[in-house]
Amino acid sequence: GQNIDQPTEMTATEGAIVQINCTYQTSGFNGLFWYQQHAGEAPTFLSYNVLDGLEEKGRFSSFLSRSKGYSYLLLKELQMKDSASYLCAVMDSNYQLIWGAGTKLIIKP
Amino acid sequence: NAGVTQTPKFRILKIGQSMTLQCAQDMNHNYMYWYRQDPGMGLKLIYYSVGAGITDKGEVPNGYNVSRSTTEDFPLRLELAAPSQTSVYFCASGSSELNTEAFFGQGTRLTVV
């Protein structure tokens, strides 16, 4: 079966750095996505990785290791508005997105 | 651009009733998707479409139907609503098969009682 695993919840302090991990087992791989979803709102796109390595975009970075079936999202200089759920999704060999359950990130002052 | 527009935002249905969730996008995207999101769960694909006149089942299609008569519109039909269909429904669209960025509507919160 296909599976995406993420921690259910994480807590971090404003101004700090947090790393949200995602491991996956899918039938084929055509890229890994990270989305941000604030409570009661739609997911919004953060990043896309298809090759191994680190992609940096402002305060957010995403890393991929295809051989390990592993990715992480790194958030720096945390702000209160970063409190949200972070969804990891993998596109499989049929070009379908398989979604993790999301990691709820709580930022404390 | 409005992006992806979903209506209604909230709806309460009685068991056995039917309804249509509307979804429209103005970005000329070929790919459109319907997902449901249950509390604490990932998004589950209900149906998707790769272009006007073409639809296909996703992971959880039972109890739903779709149509894609135009590029812009992708309505989702619920027939004989059941409590198990209580969920938040999201419509999304994308411009390419690799779906490098999917744009989501604001969601429809449906309760079946």
Side-chain angles (χ1 to χ4, degrees):
Chain A
Q2 307 202 92
N3 199 45
I4 310 284
D5 286 316
Q6 310 177 230
T8 302
E9 187 174 295
M10 299 182 70
T11 302
T13 304
E14 189 176 16
I17 299 173
V18 70
Q19 177 175 311
I20 302 174
N21 295 326
C22 171
T23 58
Y24 63 89
Q25 290 179 308
T26 57
S27 55
F29 180 84
N30 280 303
L32 184 143
F33 300 77
W34 285 97
Y35 280 78
Q36 181 190 60
Q37 185 177 26
H38 285 100
E41 297 184 8
T44 55
F45 172 79
L46 287 178
S47 67
Y48 171 69
N49 295 66
V50 68
L51 299 176
D52 290 350
L54 188 68
E55 295 278 345
E56 297 187 78
K57 191 184 292 186
R59 293 189 298 113
F60 293 5
S61 302
S62 56
F63 171 83
L64 174 67
S65 168
R66 288 172 296 171
S67 62
K68 295 182 180 178
Y70 168 70
S71 172
Y72 67 73
L73 180 69
L74 191 71
L75 291 74
K76 302 177 185 176
E77 302 170 12
L78 285 170
Q79 302 175 10
M80 297 304 293
K81 68 178 182 179
D82 297 330
S83 292
S85 288
Y86 292 85
L87 312 179
C88 173
V90 173
M91 181 166 283
D92 69 9
S93 57
N94 294 319
Y95 299 100
Q96 295 302 319
L97 279 175
I98 310 300
W99 294 82
T103 298
K104 182 178 181 180
L105 178 62
I106 300 168
I107 310 295
K108 296 185 174 180
Chain B
N1 284 346
V4 180
T5 303
Q6 269 184 255
T7 55
K9 291 186 179 179
F10 302 94
R11 184 71 186 268
I12 299 175
L13 278 182
K14 293 184 178 179
I15 294 171
Q17 286 185 320
S18 301
M19 76 164 295
T20 299
L21 280 65
Q22 301 292 343
C23 177
Q25 52 92 7
D26 61 1
M27 296 171 283
N28 202 33
H29 286 165
N30 285 327
Y31 292 81
M32 295 188 75
Y33 310 84
W34 273 106
Y35 291 97
R36 61 177 288 171
Q37 186 176 35
D38 299 323
M41 306 288 286
L43 293 162
K44 301 292 186 185
L45 182 65
I46 304 170
Y47 270 94
Y48 67 100
S49 168
V50 300
I54 306 169
T55 62
D56 211 343
K57 295 178 180 179
E59 186 181 355
V60 289
N62 291 343
Y64 308 94
N65 274 300
V66 293
S67 60
R68 185 93 184 270
S69 57
T70 66
T71 299
E72 294 77 20
D73 300 299
F74 190 43
L76 177 72
R77 179 81 177 163
L78 279 72
E79 302 283 2
L80 298 174
S84 61
Q85 292 178 304
T86 294
S87 189
V88 180
Y89 291 84
F90 288 103
C91 177
S93 73
S95 62
S96 70
E97 196 170 71
L98 289 181
N99 197 23
T100 52
E101 180 173 355
F103 294 84
F104 283 80
Q106 287 304 301
T108 298
R109 187 174 296 274
L110 176 68
T111 303
V112 181
V113 296

